[in-house]
Amino acid sequence: MILILKPNIDVEASEYKQLVEHLSTLQNIQLRVHRVQGVEQSLTEFHLIGNTGALALEDMKNLPGVEHAVRVSEEYRILGRHKVDSRANYFDYQGLRFGQDTLHVFAGLCAVDTPENVEEMMKTLRDNGQQCTRMGAYKPRTSPYSFQGHGKACLPYVFELAGKYGIKVIAMEVTHESHVDEINEALDATGHPTGVMLQIGTRNTQNFELLKIVGRQQKFPVLLKRGFGITLDESLHAAEYLASGGNQRVIFGLRGMKTNIGDPHRNMVDFAHVPVVKRLTRMPVCIDPSHSVGLRSRGPEGILDLLHMTAQGIIAGANMILVDFHPAPEKALVDGPQALLLKELPHFLEDVQITREAYLKRQALAQHISIGN
Amino acid sequence: MILILKPNIDVEASEYKQLVEHLSTLQNIQLRVHRVQGVEQSLTEFHLIGNTGALALEDMKNLPGVEHAVRVSEEYRILGRHKVDSRANYFDYQGLRFGQDTLHVFAGLCAVDTPENVEEMMKTLRDNGQQCTRMGAYKPRTSPYSFQGHGKACLPYVFELAGKYGIKVIAMEVTHESHVDEINEALDATGHPTGVMLQIGTRNTQNFELLKIVGRQQKFPVLLKRGFGITLDESLHAAEYLASGGNQRVIFGLRGMKTNIGDPHRNMVDFAHVPVVKRLTRMPVCIDPSHSVGLRSRGPEGILDLLHMTAQGIIAGANMILVDFHPAPEKALVDGPQALLLKELPHFLEDVQITREAYLKRQALAQHISIGN
Amino acid sequence: MILILKPNIDVEASEYKQLVEHLSTLQNIQLRVHRVQGVEQSLTEFHLIGNTGALALEDMKNLPGVEHAVRVSEEYRILGRHKVDSRANYFDYQGLRFGQDTLHVFAGLCAVDTPENVEEMMKTLRDNGQQCTRMGAYKPRTSPYSFQGHGKACLPYVFELAGKYGIKVIAMEVTHESHVDEINEALDATGHPTGVMLQIGTRNTQNFELLKIVGRQQKFPVLLKRGFGITLDESLHAAEYLASGGNQRVIFGLRGMKTNIGDPHRNMVDFAHVPVVKRLTRMPVCIDPSHSVGLRSRGPEGILDLLHMTAQGIIAGANMILVDFHPAPEKALVDGPQALLLKELPHFLEDVQITREAYLKRQALAQHISIGN
Amino acid sequence: MILILKPNIDVEASEYKQLVEHLSTLQNIQLRVHRVQGVEQSLTEFHLIGNTGALALEDMKNLPGVEHAVRVSEEYRILGRHKVDSRANYFDYQGLRFGQDTLHVFAGLCAVDTPENVEEMMKTLRDNGQQCTRMGAYKPRTSPYSFQGHGKACLPYVFELAGKYGIKVIAMEVTHESHVDEINEALDATGHPTGVMLQIGTRNTQNFELLKIVGRQQKFPVLLKRGFGITLDESLHAAEYLASGGNQRVIFGLRGMKTNIGDPHRNMVDFAHVPVVKRLTRMPVCIDPSHSVGLRSRGPEGILDLLHMTAQGIIAGANMILVDFHPAPEKALVDGPQALLLKELPHFLEDVQITREAYLKRQALAQHISIGN
């Protein structure tokens, strides 16, 4: 059971103390305290773990300092949607809202290679009105003999260039806890010109130790990619490792499943799960069409499969798009064949816009009909 | 190599005879003749099989009676798209055009149960401006002890009711060659009040004997469903069995892949392959959201997954939608849980319309940009 | 519920008539009669379908003419193993016993090509003490433009050569009901020099119409291959289509699953299901290492993967082995790369023998320990 | 290219210095030095990375101090088998040899729960002549709310009890680098009563950071489990991360693939890959029948599927068996349903012995025939 306390409740307030005291008298019930700092207010949640079946929801709602009480199932305890669950399905970071009703494009470099390419990318994003990007500094590669990313060496210029061009959030994969420290240090050293969304990739979806550590920090929101060979359920449980550590600012990313039935695409596109994740949890959902499709083929009407897949995600309500661009894909060190050209960005964004408007119309239609019934 | 002859060429014309005579002198080359009867004209194709590498395309184009010559690869020889391939990507049936640029909804009963339900379905379709439907008379079921469909007994009333309500085409699965005869007989007996699109289901995608026989008749177009456990390539090869038999009026249907990574959906939705099939072949592409999704869950904005998946197919250019409705899903003999209610049809059609318009805008945008480049 | 009647019961006997009369009085119970002709006796089974929950097993056992009564679940009603189920797990054909305790090797040609190769194969088998073989006359091929087998044209010489070299049973795939007629006719025409086990391949596992027709004949036993993209449960249900038609002489074949996680093997070897099928049903289990492995690679000790996979099947209790040999694999029209050489047959058989002996020792050990407990 | 130097070569020897000096003159060639300390001798390998195509193998063999030179492909550079590759396919640890020709059983507790159960397990192993075991202290669990293992707290008593009962090697999963330190400290604190084989589980197969760190230490050998949703090739590349870090004492573990086509088994058993891994690499191969099968069902002859799968691995040459036992499976905290009872250990070992003998006979037969040819 989760008790959501009144906003901005003071831990020194008498009602807070009374509540804690009362809960400590409950037998076989453990208490975990989670605090979520939002832009306008701080929220405190009390998670009651153990024999909560014996507690009446109504009684708990009436305790001092309690605003809501939510009975949670064992499934996705924190991030899940539960019956009568009024908890937020969004969070704010760097002045931007990331939620189940918003849409952000994170176009950028799969792997940082040169400062020149980073700058050209950032400038193009700024010129096209973008505030987010993706930049890979730490690259997990199948073979130990492949390029592994420039690591912390590239962070200072990546962050500075982001700041120069007004990019507010960079999605960046980390594969080891030390990378979070390195990112922190580089941000400090460069004066925090931008923000970072930590990305956990598909190979580490069940690297629970990394999830625990990343979940314990609350500075950076986290984008958790689905594991490419496990069930959706197992990946959603992995997200709970982040949340149970304390960090509820989690976005869930779909990036295709590893099976040859998706051929000729690199992976089996799984964006059908966009509405499923939004229904089962409170997480915004990101799609990664670049890694799902993995090639630059196009349909007979001249539209790239990659744009079609992006549209499939958006028309079903996706909230974030991670997409690879590169000034010269043929020279990219990682995944060049799937990268879009910088000059294709305006078309990409316009295509996204058309589909997003259609989604919003579909949403309005459904609400209209629902009210009519 | 395929030679497309001049439209309406007469087999008694001298140029036709000259052509045949010339081709008979070519060594190690076999000739297969395919005739396609369209609404306005009949097309004759000469398929040259064997050592065609030695023939010059230019020479063949200049033969008497030849309009085009297409060099085909071994892959999807007839239905494939080949370089410099001007063959049609559509066909006409019952006054309707089915092509890679059109969109038709086939809403209907997964399995025919009672005349009353068939009539209610047909009437609702008519009232909503529909001219196509799906009606299952022959049902392949996993267990021999499950209901297997009413078979030929229900055909007369199904066809008559279709005629009564102005339904022009019924998609109907056949699982044995005798079913085609039965359909033919029932249409004859009832005075051809409607048309039938033969459907080959996922369990028979590689039932090559059935494909050969169905491919040899040209009265009915064929909807071939993808095999749910084989690669896309293998399913496209199966379509060639139909075409090599003589029937090129083939629509290719996506209906989800059989793997638990699609959970909680019944199958792994594979509509990402819509543009792939359109690029590799000249076939229109059908999607079957009902069997892909298999349940009535909805996203948090209140839209059914089934509508989301339909939208995903359409936004990427799908040409046909096969979708289960039922007057009383809880009483349906087959696949009730996935059926939509009749009263949901207007919403479904309006939702389809919104997305189709967005697709057309996306198409126009791509052409505009392509011209600009 | 299944009533197994006394062996060789006469349909004119009074106890038989009394039984039928009594059963006809039961409400909501349908009766299906199955007769199984064995070497020494004929068995009659009465299958009671409908509301059998209301019948007491003890009462039914005491009815006139009844030897056993078995309560069956819905799952695999006829071929399944049920509690207190004393029905046979074997059948006899051509003087050979095929059961869950026997082992037969069916080495032979994947596809019949020339009479010379057939004769060389048959002679080699005879010289190595074999009485069974596999010979493909009807070949389902992914592409319609590939060699489809010699069909009925080759049957006469195949059967005659089998007779000449003392081969008693040929496993032969059929893909259409007409093939059964053609086989029948060719056997009649050649004076029945051998027997045939009809094989239903993996592409037709859920071709229910073919299963129904093949199940209605009892002349030939049937080898049903597992569907390569469906669950084991679904394939076992398919076997019930054969049995519910009347033919219980069914062997179930494992041949690998279609998924790239089996790479570098052609398919994912699934012989772990040997004991599962034997536990769930009364069918003997066949393994097809040739199609599972699909290549001639060998382990560092010099043993072909194909022999290793065969050993894996046998050590877990497999009852039949379907394996491709060819006098000149590089000239084989179908699946040459996986065929063994004729001169490798003695090694193959000796290797099989070593493993079979180990299996029997394992079986004896388990029984010894079971008795000790 | 890999140069294997003369055994026990001294880095101060002149031939060593000459060799290093010569190599430093090669253009575009980097040198990595790997040292492997065996029981009797130390081996030094020089890995030349870069443009080695220009080097003649014969020239390199003749350099001072060089015993062998092996040209390696990009694939599995260190652990792979390459043409003319005389490097060892075994290593020694704690007085035991682990190689492609040996077989060791690691029976034990999936998860350590109580000292009493650990002692009962150890004692039973000793009484049955075993010197190895498995003991899980760190358990990666799908849900953060499940029991996560006792961690370092249990190490002292686990190690002491191992020493007490003569157990020389414990296979123990680690999921974070700190676990290696904790194991080291506990071994130091308890006086090194036993040895540890570090196990990397299927969820961390592509946790490259963990692999790099574990690969940099050479104190403990490593058992790397295959990733359950990736190709074999990708998992073998992961093993190279260990080797490229410096640790070549790696055993590769098969534990079943995650797909529902393996139902009713928990995973799709993949022991068909035993000979494949032995052919492609120099690693010994471990099988984990407990996690592959995941249940205690048995075939009709009374043998557990788990024993059948073990036999399938061994008959094809498996070198190590990881198998769960528990004094009271119904009380086990993790994976109880798949654990064997302690009293079943003698049967298990005898069953293993029967099959191992059959494998050795098969091996001898293959060598005999190979010599005869």
Side-chain angles (χ1 to χ4, degrees), chain B residues 32 74 77-78 140-145 148 175-177 179 203-204 206-209 212-213 228-231 234 237-238 240-241 244 258, chain C residues 32 74 77-78 140-145 148 175-177 179 203-204 206-209 212-213 228-231 234 237-238 240-241 244 258:
Chain B
R32 279 201 199 177
E74 283 305 296
R77 202 179 283 173
I78 300 175
R141 305 299 300 282
T142 299
S143 165
Y145 309 113
Q148 310 268 321
T175 59
H176 189 262
E177 60 208 68
H179 301 161
R203 289 171 184 80
N204 286 300
Q206 291 193 314
N207 178 349
F208 300 133
E209 300 301 322
K212 285 180 199 167
I213 291 166
F228 55 19
I230 57 178
T231 63
E234 289 163 331
H237 276 297
E240 279 287 296
Y241 269 93
S244 71
K258 195 164 196 71
Chain C
R32 281 200 198 176
E74 283 306 295
R77 200 178 285 173
I78 300 175
R141 304 299 301 281
T142 300
S143 166
Y145 309 115
Q148 310 268 322
T175 59
H176 189 261
E177 61 208 67
H179 301 161
R203 289 171 185 79
N204 286 301
Q206 291 193 314
N207 178 349
F208 300 132
E209 299 301 322
K212 284 180 199 168
I213 291 166
F228 56 18
I230 55 178
T231 62
E234 289 164 332
H237 276 298
E240 278 287 296
Y241 269 94
S244 71
K258 196 166 195 71

Side-chain angles (χ1 to χ4, degrees), chain D residues 133-152:
Chain D
T133 190
R134 66 164 309 182
M135 288 281 151
Y138 307 96
K139 302 304 302 176
R141 305 299 300 281
T142 300
S143 165
Y145 310 114
S146 302
F147 171 66
Q148 310 268 322
H150 286 313
K152 70 176 173 180

Side-chain angles (χ1 to χ4, degrees), chain B residues 15 125 179 290 336:
Chain B
E15 59 179 359
L125 289 168
H179 301 161
S290 298

Side-chain angles (χ1 to χ4, degrees), chain A residues 147-203:
Chain A
F147 171 66
Q148 310 268 321
H150 286 314
K152 71 176 174 180
C154 69
L155 297 182
Y157 68 77
V158 168
F159 293 159
E160 281 165 0
L161 288 166
K164 178 174 173 185
Y165 291 101
I167 301 300
K168 292 185 176 167
V169 185
I170 303 174
M172 181 174 279
E173 181 166 1
V174 292
T175 59
H176 189 261
E177 60 207 69
S178 61
H179 302 162
V180 184
D181 297 334
E182 291 172 7
I183 288 169
N184 248 324
E185 286 159 19
L187 281 173
D188 282 350
T190 54
H192 293 269
T194 188
V196 170
M197 182 182 289
L198 302 175
Q199 183 180 322
I200 310 279
T202 194
R203 289 171 185 80

Side-chain angles (χ1 to χ4, degrees), chain A residues 141 145 176-177 240-241, chain D residues 141 145 176-177 240-241:
Chain A
R141 304 299 300 282
Y145 309 113
H176 189 261
E177 60 207 69
E240 280 287 296
Y241 269 94
Chain D
R141 305 299 300 281
Y145 310 114
H176 189 262
E177 61 207 68
E240 279 286 296
Y241 269 94

Side-chain angles (χ1 to χ4, degrees), chain B residues 245-256:
Chain B
N247 194 340
Q248 298 190 26
R249 298 195 295 177
V250 183
I251 294 177
F252 189 81
L254 300 171
R255 49 82 73 215

